[in-house]
Amino acid sequence: MSSRTDADRCTVVVGCQWGDEGKGKIVDVLAEDVDVVARYQGGANAGHTVHVGDSEFILHQIPSGILHPGKRCLLGNGVVLDLLQFFEEHDALVARGIDLEGRVGVSLRAHLLLPWHRVLDRAAEAGAAEKIGTTGRGIGPAYEDKAGRRGIRVADAADLDRFSELMARGTERARKRLLALGLPLDGDDARALDEAMEQSAALRERILELAVDTGLEVDQALRAGERVLLEGAQGTALDLDHGTYPFVTSSNTTAAGAATGIGIGPTRIDAVLGVVKAYTTRVGNGPLPTGFDDEMDARMRELGGEFGATTGRPRRCGWFDAVLARYAARVNGLTGLAVTKLDVLDTLPEIGLCTGYRLPDGSTVTEFPADTWSLESIEPVLEMVPGWESSTQEARTLDDLPAGARSYLDRIEELTGAPIHMVSVGTRRTQIIHVA
Ligand code: IMP
């Protein structure tokens, strides 16, 4: 990625599992060599952890490229913009010495995620017979309003009267829905919501100062020969269409979503880099076909520090699922893979790769099924390979890796059909292998 070629002028970085693959670090590393980084979907449900020197940053809405001075960072129309959280994050970065002047742009077409969306998200989860295990950040209700054609967009903030009217209507609608759910808002809760709504309304002028047409800006950047990274949040298995529905998020996390979520045509995208963890994790409800037993689960969670960056929830862990990764390679049209957290496997004597799913009738499938429920009753077909039992953290080329780690990566390439372009062997920026 260090040479400026046309082959990857516009690259999508997409998660290929259930999120938390380490996209934040990969985007941070790649951002050094690009001009613009743009988020194309999701909202404050994401939590991208990036280490710079001894400092740790957890970014929820602002693209991870922000930690590189001078890079322009955009939030596209596909994002649901949580106004309060966004400015909190923005101001916290400024307070930590990051210069954001002229560097952040928000799509005029992005929908606003307002305090009532969070209230509705939590109410819906509390009352659901089958809980999704959402992050509670209001994502589902915000996208429901968007699809229901009653959302409020950044562009609506330009007209104070119209904006106030939309906010009042939205608040009223939320109250009625809560009432219908048998959860009327009263007392402290009602006052807290009113206050949060007032705080959001007060940010109207601030958001307008950052508002741009992200599609136009990205198009112009590409025409001027600049390089652009389109940053996805969550992962392929959480995609609204292609994931383990209904245990998914409410947006298209996959690479095609980058075009609609930024406002460019798919032909403008040159490359798609899929990010996979060297094993698998999942936070929230829904099947995890390669999930470990309790003991191994706890061990991997400890080794990998597998706790949600947004909610702090423990992540469930399992072996690398090549069925899912191969599916992700196909639905995203991957041109390359970035494998992260290889070093987390350094101490294991034996490592598993899942090559198929065995059905209750004894047959085996190797394509990721549309029927999410069938995943509850499959047995993973595991290929166990010897671990390398030595540190990979200082490796900076593939040749520096122990032979066992190299064969493990070769097997991942073989099973997914996607060439490995990068391998991450630690949290620091420098702990990365660029494959020539
Ligand atoms: P929501 O996006 O908050 O509606 O949550 C829907 C599902 O996506 C839940 O299983 C969440 O745990 C999961 N999810 C949402 N965002 C992330 C993320 O950034 N990483 C991992 N899982 C996520």
Side-chain angles (χ1 to χ4, degrees):
M1 281 297 288
S2 57
S3 59
R4 294 199 157 226
T5 67
D6 283 344
D8 55 3
R9 178 165 288 160
C10 182
T11 298
V12 181
V13 176
V14 65
C16 290
Q17 294 157 327
W18 277 279
D20 307 320
E21 298 91 353
K23 297 177 292 296
K25 164 160 178 186
I26 297 298
V27 169
D28 174 64
V29 168
L30 295 178
E32 191 171 349
D33 202 39
V34 305
D35 304 284
V36 180
V37 183
R39 257 287 289 279
Y40 60 84
Q41 44 69 232
N45 49 348
H48 292 166
T49 308
V50 182
H51 291 86
V52 182
D54 290 333
S55 307
E56 181 184 89
F57 293 84
I58 299 179
L59 298 159
H60 296 283
Q61 293 194 85
I62 298 179
S64 313
I66 204 69
L67 301 172
H68 284 275
K71 308 293 174 184
R72 177 87 171 143
C73 288
L74 302 175
L75 283 86
N77 54 279
V79 160
V80 281
L81 183 79
D82 183 331
L83 270 179
L84 291 179
Q85 196 285 334
F86 172 79
F87 281 111
E88 214 173 273
E89 183 170 338
H90 180 283
D91 297 347
L93 285 170
V94 172
R96 288 180 74 176
I98 311 285
D99 180 8
L100 298 189
E101 197 51 42
R103 293 187 53 208
V104 181
V106 172
S107 170
L108 282 154
R109 294 181 175 85
H111 280 246
L112 298 183
L113 187 148
L114 293 158
W116 67 67
H117 291 126
R118 285 179 177 238
V119 177
L120 285 170
D121 189 5
R122 288 174 194 163
E125 277 286 88
E130 204 147 63
K131 298 187 198 313
I132 308 294
T134 72
T135 59
R137 297 298 189 269
I139 303 300
Y143 280 112
E144 275 176 46
D145 277 352
K146 175 178 175 174
R149 295 161 294 180
R150 53 179 179 262
I152 307 177
R153 304 193 302 168
V154 172
D156 293 317
D159 180 331
L160 176 59
D161 289 342
R162 181 165 168 70
F163 185 65
S164 308
E165 170 64 25
L166 289 171
M167 294 283 269
R169 253 190 258 158
T171 311
E172 194 42 36
R173 202 181 306 111
R175 281 191 210 289
K176 284 190 182 143
R177 277 198 57 196
L178 288 167
L179 200 63
L181 287 167
L183 295 162
L185 263 192
D186 45 27
D188 287 350
D189 289 344
R191 270 191 294 281
L193 180 62
D194 286 342
E195 209 173 285
M197 287 305 297
E198 275 166 31
Q199 286 167 358
S200 301
L203 294 168
R204 187 183 72 90
E205 289 186 4
R206 254 189 112 184
I207 200 67
L208 281 174
E209 280 168 23
L210 303 180
V212 293
D213 183 330
T214 49
L216 181 63
E217 187 171 330
V218 167
D219 185 68
Q220 285 172 341
L222 292 170
R223 283 177 201 283
E226 292 187 359
R227 284 161 59 91
V228 176
L229 266 190
L230 306 180
E231 174 182 340
Q234 293 85 46
T236 301
L238 289 172
D239 182 284
L240 182 59
D241 286 82
H242 306 292
T244 47
Y245 192 92
F247 304 103
V248 292
T249 192
S250 298
S251 61
N252 284 119
T253 58
T254 41
T260 44
I262 294 296
I264 55 169
T267 51
R268 307 308 307 275
I269 295 170
D270 305 302
V272 182
L273 183 69
V275 186
V276 287
K277 215 178 269 191
Y279 49 99
T280 311
T281 62
R282 175 163 206 178
V283 63
N285 299 339
L288 175 63
T290 61
F292 292 131
D293 61 28
D294 289 352
E295 193 186 325
M296 186 63 187
D297 194 42
R299 184 165 171 208
M300 281 301 284
R301 191 171 311 123
E302 214 45 53
L303 284 172
E306 296 295 351
F307 295 89
T310 298
T311 58
R313 291 180 292 176
R315 298 176 185 145
R316 288 177 280 153
C317 304
W319 293 127
F320 184 84
D321 186 341
V323 178
L324 171 60
R326 199 160 57 85
Y327 172 68
R330 174 163 61 81
V331 296
N332 291 298
L334 296 189
T335 55
L337 266 186
V339 180
T340 61
K341 295 186 111 168
L342 183 71
D343 57 302
V344 172
L345 305 179
D346 283 352
T347 54
L348 301 182
E350 223 187 2
I351 298 168
L353 291 138
C354 169
T355 59
Y357 298 154
R358 191 167 300 113
L359 305 179
D361 69 5
S363 62
T364 298
V365 293
T366 53
E367 294 298 338
F368 198 70
D371 176 7
T372 300
W373 307 105
S374 71
L375 288 172
E376 300 282 9
S377 51
I378 63 98
E379 277 291 316
V381 178
L382 292 178
E383 189 175 293
M384 298 305 294
V385 297
W388 42 94
E389 298 185 86
S390 57
S391 175
T392 55
Q393 290 201 340
E394 301 310 317
R396 297 295 175 266
T397 68
L398 284 183
D399 288 341
D400 296 338
L401 288 172
R406 283 204 307 275
S407 339
Y408 183 65
L409 294 174
D410 287 346
R411 192 67 183 124
I412 287 180
E413 263 190 347
E414 226 168 70
L415 289 167
T416 58
I420 294 177
H421 287 181
M422 295 169 83
V423 183
S424 172
V425 289
T427 55
R428 282 182 283 123
R429 264 182 188 166
T430 49
Q431 290 177 302
I432 197 92
I433 297 172
H434 291 276
V435 180

